[in-house]
Amino acid sequence: MPDIDAANAKILSLLQEDGRMTNARLSEHLSMSETPCWRRLKRLEDSGIIEGYQANLNRRKLGLGVMAFVQLSCSEHDQEATAEFQRIVEITPNILACHNTTGADDFLLVVVARDLDDYSRFIDTTLRQLPGVTSIRSNLSLKEMKSSSKLPVDISRS
C-alpha cells in the first residue's frame, strides 16, 4: 500500500472534488511533472485506495423523492440465510447502503423510492421477503442536511 504523504493526500482530495480531473491538471496542482503524478495515481488505484470513479447524481431530479433509513432485525443468522440476504441486498438498486450493526437491530439500510406508495411496495415486495426478517422500522428523511461520500484524508495519522 502506498504511503499517504502530502502529495498522495492532495491527489485524493482533488479527485474527490473532481473525479474527471486529468493527470495534466493534477500534476499542475501538485507542481510536479505528469509522469511522477501518473505513477502516484496508478499506485493509489492498484492498491485499492482509489476503488473507482463515478458521477454523483441528484436523486430528486431522477424522481427518487423518498429516502429512508431502515432498521431490520432478523431471526436467522446462519451462513445460508446471511448469504441469501446479502445477495438480495447487493442486486437491489433501491438499497444504496446496508450495514450489519450493533444494538437492537441487525442491519441498517439506506433506501430510496419515488414516493411513499413506491416505498410501501418496496417494503412488501423486497424487505418483507428477505430471509428471517422479523422487524422493519423506518425513519424517513425530511430534509437532507449533508450528503457526501468524500472521506477525510489526514496525513497526520500516518
Side-chain angles (χ1 to χ4, degrees):
M1 179 165 348
D3 291 329
I4 305 299
D5 60 10
N8 284 346
K10 182 78 170 170
I11 289 170
L12 295 172
S13 294
L14 288 167
L15 288 175
Q16 286 189 108
E17 289 298 320
D18 179 4
R20 295 177 64 179
M21 187 176 290
T22 64
N23 186 60
R25 188 93 170 114
L26 270 174
S27 63
E28 184 180 306
H29 279 288
L30 293 164
S31 300
M32 72 171 55
S33 63
E34 289 186 36
T35 302
C37 183
W38 179 84
R39 283 192 196 115
R40 284 176 172 272
L41 179 58
K42 184 77 174 124
R43 279 195 302 272
L44 291 167
E45 291 171 344
D46 290 346
S47 71
I49 291 174
I50 296 176
E51 293 181 331
Y53 301 89
Q54 69 183 31
N56 296 318
L57 308 179
N58 183 314
R59 70 178 170 83
R60 286 190 175 86
K61 290 186 178 185
L62 291 171
L64 299 167
V66 171
M67 178 177 279
F69 301 91
V70 184
Q71 299 93 19
L72 295 178
S73 294
C74 297
S75 61
E76 298 177 34
H77 296 89
D78 61 78
Q79 190 172 5
E80 186 177 317
T82 302
E84 178 63 5
F85 179 93
Q86 184 169 348
R87 184 191 71 75
I88 293 169
V89 164
E90 287 175 354
I91 65 169
T92 304
N94 291 69
I95 300 173
L96 301 183
C98 176
H99 297 269
N100 187 206
T101 60
T102 61
D105 300 303
D106 296 309
F107 298 96
L108 175 65
L109 284 69
V110 179
V111 174
V112 292
R114 287 188 303 274
D115 52 32
L116 289 177
D117 290 336
D118 186 40
Y119 181 64
S120 179
R121 276 189 300 278
F122 178 77
I123 288 175
D124 290 338
T125 62
T126 303
L127 296 185
R128 291 192 197 283
Q129 306 307 313
L130 290 169
V133 170
T134 58
S135 171
I136 300 172
R137 294 185 307 130
S138 299
N139 293 305
L140 299 178
S141 174
L142 300 176
K143 179 180 178 183
E144 192 170 286
M145 299 173 73
K146 180 180 180 179
S147 177
S148 177
S149 60
K150 296 173 188 166
L151 297 174
V153 183
D154 183 3
I155 65 167
S156 66
R157 292 186 300 185
S158 299

